[in-house]
Amino acid sequence: MKVFVEKNYEAMSQMAFSLFLKFVPEIKVLGLATGNSPVGFYKRITEAYKEGEISLKNVHTFNLDEYFGIDHGHPESYRTFMGNHLFSKVDIQENNIHFPESKGEPLAITENYNRQLDEIGHPDLQVLGIGQNGHIAFNEPGSPRHARTRVIRLTQSTIEVNNPPSKYAVTMGLEDILSSRRIILLASGRSKADAVSRMIGGPLGYTVPASYLQEHPETYAILDHEAASRLDIDTVEKRMKESVEFGNDSYYFDL
Ligand code: GLP
């Protein structure tokens, strides 16, 4: 895992965008996440589109998850969030937007999404956030490594943090996420510090689903100082292959 620690949210978003620009010529399938963490990054993408620097016209997008049992048009749905922050502001084609259906028969919904992923391909780049309990997408603690898209019940801790419009969600599985070629994970703020330290330095296992990213070949974890504030330096140093300090209170290490 390549870890970038940046001075604040803005710098984190800028670093994610710089990596995105580097990878964009190779992105045919883009995996997207919701939440506050990627908002600044999406803003930079929309600005770059406006400036004519990039086009996403031929890109397929797959979103990680959606609340189950509400309409996609619901103001708190993840589909609405993506429309507001990205889809309405760039040239992604409506037909290329893939989202788990939010209503219907669970097995049919999950099979349909898995089929789309298999036919079109897993993301060349997957954007991720992390939950305070270490979840990625809605793979809550206890999620098996081999799981694919499925309907899950949110844990009590996620319900308290997210205040969701439904206690159920459809989520891509860890197997789907880990099949992405590259992953950019964004984490900012002190509330993420514990989950981040367990993701990077803790044992690999289902109690912290994000820890499985340790075995992914090309994950970029981009953190701000607060999210990085509980990293176990001894563990990190033991596993460190490379480390570089930049100006602006930024540093990078490769594990
Ligand atoms: C939700 C989403 C996750 C996201 C997490 C963190 O639980 N299902 O994909 O990573 O929230 O959100 P935020 O970035 O707002 O902290």
Side-chain angles (χ1 to χ4, degrees):
M1 192 184 299
K2 299 168 201 314
V3 183
F4 294 79
V5 182
E6 302 291 335
K7 136 175 111 175
N8 54 28
Y9 181 89
E10 288 306 312
M12 174 195 80
S13 306
Q14 185 55 41
M15 176 52 77
F17 178 66
S18 308
L19 289 173
F20 176 80
L21 268 190
K22 194 165 117 187
F23 302 146
V24 81
E26 294 174 23
I27 300 176
K28 291 193 182 72
V29 182
L30 176 62
L32 295 168
T34 51
N36 294 324
S37 311
V39 167
F41 167 56
Y42 292 158
K43 189 155 178 271
R44 280 165 175 75
I45 294 180
T46 63
E47 285 162 0
Y49 168 69
K50 257 193 244 147
E51 297 296 320
E53 284 173 48
I54 55 167
S55 166
L56 300 176
K57 201 168 161 214
N58 297 318
V59 168
H60 281 262
T61 66
F62 276 91
N63 263 81
L64 288 168
D65 46 15
E66 178 59 287
Y67 289 117
F68 181 67
I70 60 165
D71 287 323
H72 269 159
H74 188 287
E76 289 173 72
S77 77
Y78 283 170
R79 180 63 183 79
T80 298
F81 176 99
M82 289 309 303
N84 293 341
H85 290 282
L86 190 68
F87 297 154
S88 64
K89 299 183 171 170
V90 295
D91 59 349
I92 296 171
Q93 300 187 67
E94 189 71 30
N95 286 343
N96 289 351
I97 295 174
H98 305 271
F99 235 93
E101 287 162 58
S102 56
K103 274 184 155 177
E105 208 280 302
L107 192 62
I109 291 177
T110 57
E111 280 180 358
N112 180 22
Y113 209 51
N114 286 333
R115 194 177 325 110
Q116 291 178 53
L117 280 162
D118 291 339
E119 281 173 13
I120 294 163
H122 282 78
D124 300 298
L125 177 70
Q126 175 67 58
V127 181
L128 280 186
I130 181 170
Q132 291 182 26
N133 64 2
H135 71 222
I136 46 178
F138 271 130
N139 291 282
E140 296 278 38
S143 296
R145 161 71 181 79
H146 62 265
R148 297 210 54 199
T149 308
R150 67 209 187 285
V151 174
I152 54 94
R153 189 185 196 282
L154 303 179
T155 58
Q156 194 52 34
S157 64
T158 296
I159 291 171
E160 279 159 25
V161 173
N162 287 21
N163 193 19
S166 164
K167 289 181 178 156
Y168 293 87
V170 192
T171 182
M172 267 193 213
L174 291 170
E175 173 64 24
D176 295 304
I177 294 170
L178 294 165
S179 299
S180 310
R181 177 173 170 202
R182 292 181 173 120
I183 293 174
I184 289 181
L185 178 139
L186 296 160
S188 115
R190 210 160 284 276
S191 65
K192 300 292 173 70
D194 187 46
V196 163
S197 85
R198 298 173 79 192
M199 166 181 82
I200 294 174
L204 196 139
Y206 59 76
T207 50
V208 181
S211 65
Y212 286 112
L213 294 169
Q214 290 174 25
E215 65 178 18
H216 184 267
E218 201 173 339
T219 287
Y220 302 79
I222 310 179
L223 319 171
D224 67 6
H225 276 257
E226 291 193 347
S229 61
R230 282 198 211 141
L231 286 181
D232 173 352
I233 298 307
D234 288 347
T235 315
V236 166
E237 281 180 353
K238 250 182 249 152
R239 293 171 45 209
M240 200 158 8
K241 292 183 197 138
E242 193 192 335
S243 146
V244 182
E245 282 194 32
F246 300 98
N248 275 335
D249 298 327
S250 303
Y251 56 98
Y252 158 84
F253 54 88
D254 191 355
L255 297 172

